[in-house]
Amino acid sequence: MTAQLIDGNAISQTLRADVAQRAAALKAKGITPGLAVVLVGDNQASQVYVRNKVKSCQDNGLHSVLEKYDATMTEADLLARVEALNQDPSIHGILVQLPLPAHIDAQKVIEAISPAKDVDGFHIASAGALMTGMPGFWPCTPYGCMKMLQSIGYKLRGKHAVVIGRSNIVGKPMAMMLLQESATVTICHSATANLKDLTLQADVVVAAVGKRHVLTADMIKPGAVVIDVGMNRNDEGKLCGDVDFEGVKEVAGYITPVPGGVGPMTITMLLVNTLEAAERAAA
Ligand code: GUN
């Protein structure tokens, strides 16, 4: 059996067209949705990510500002910038790119962002809202994974979903979103003793570890849906996920590729959240 691909670029195109349309509707009322992206330091990967985020905003009718600061910026100065953006009516979403330099307490900075502008969904208020099923912003990567499941009409109710990884950014919120859709959820991590026993029972597997070949064909139930959140480099320097794609695609029912899977969905959901923040502010 060969799995069907879930194409993150194609799903993104549809969702981004909707964002652009809703942004135009807001603009007609005199409101341009605005995202502020704050980058501190010169992390190479972060520079690429923020450039993509800013460009995607521009391509879809959102206003965006990129604030770049030296790695020597103090925590107090960064907190003051966040507070200024909280007060800025032209900014509806604030994203402080992580990682931050070691002398800055990232959690403190995240908590300084107004929950109404927390389009990354990393604030404790956003995490609490997700956990309790209240309205709030969902972290973009797991939110994008949910949209991918939706795109194939997958019904999660009563299904067994296994999430590999327990980060605050992906694994934990992913598990909450799957639970909200009435899946039975297992969270696996580096101390899980019997990973293969668990993944073999899974109807849906989400791999979010950040390590190549965490998930191989012998670990997959035939027909399962496999979502690959990994962004790794192989020995030739080529982008690859956490899943052994070539092997797993012969067993799974659906699979997301890397690149072209979850990656574009993360930025798309950032646009969706920013638009949503602007719509809420305008209401
Ligand atoms: N660093 C890596 N991914 C992300 C993300 O989604 N948001 C932020 N703010 N920083 C990141």
Side-chain angles (χ1 to χ4, degrees), residues 72-96:
T72 55
M73 183 185 212
T74 65
E75 183 180 282
D77 284 348
L78 179 55
L79 289 170
R81 272 316 301 154
V82 168
E83 186 47 31
L85 292 167
N86 282 341
Q87 303 298 333
D88 184 340
S90 73
I91 294 300
H92 304 96
I94 302 169
L95 183 151
V96 178

Side-chain angles (χ1 to χ4, degrees), residues 45-208:
S46 291
Q47 304 222 15
V48 176
Y49 292 147
V50 299
R51 222 180 299 134
N52 286 339
K53 288 170 184 177
V54 168
K55 180 171 186 308
S56 300
C57 281
Q58 287 161 356
D59 290 346
N60 294 281
L62 275 61
H63 163 68
S64 72
V65 287
L66 174 56
E67 297 194 3
K68 279 183 168 183
Y69 298 105
D70 228 64
T72 55
M73 183 185 212
T74 65
E75 183 180 282
D77 284 348
L78 179 55
L79 289 170
R81 272 316 301 154
V82 168
E83 186 47 31
L85 292 167
N86 282 341
Q87 303 298 333
D88 184 340
S90 73
I91 294 300
H92 304 96
I94 302 169
L95 183 151
V96 178
Q97 187 66 23
L98 304 176
L100 286 167
H103 66 276
I104 297 177
D105 181 343
Q107 200 56 41
K108 196 166 164 187
V109 174
I110 289 167
E111 298 317 323
I113 296 170
S114 163
K117 297 189 178 188
D118 176 36
V119 288
D120 251 337
F122 294 169
H123 196 286
I124 286 180
S126 303
L130 169 58
M131 178 167 260
T132 53
M134 301 295 284
F137 292 110
W138 285 7
C140 301
T141 298
Y143 192 8
C145 295
M146 293 303 284
K147 289 284 177 192
M148 295 181 106
L149 288 168
Q150 249 181 39
S151 78
I152 58 166
Y154 196 80
K155 298 281 177 285
L156 282 159
R157 187 179 186 81
K159 298 290 191 345
H160 186 196
V162 170
V163 178
I164 316 175
R166 55 173 158 177
S167 71
N168 290 335
I169 293 178
V170 184
K172 282 189 234 172
M174 184 80 251
M176 285 301 129
M177 291 173 201
L178 292 163
L179 181 62
Q180 190 149 308
E181 291 302 316
S182 301
T184 301
V185 182
T186 302
I187 306 175
C188 300
H189 46 79
S190 51
T192 298
N194 52 343
L195 180 64
K196 183 176 168 181
D197 293 348
L198 293 163
T199 58
L200 273 172
Q201 295 173 34
D203 302 300
V204 176
V205 185
V206 180

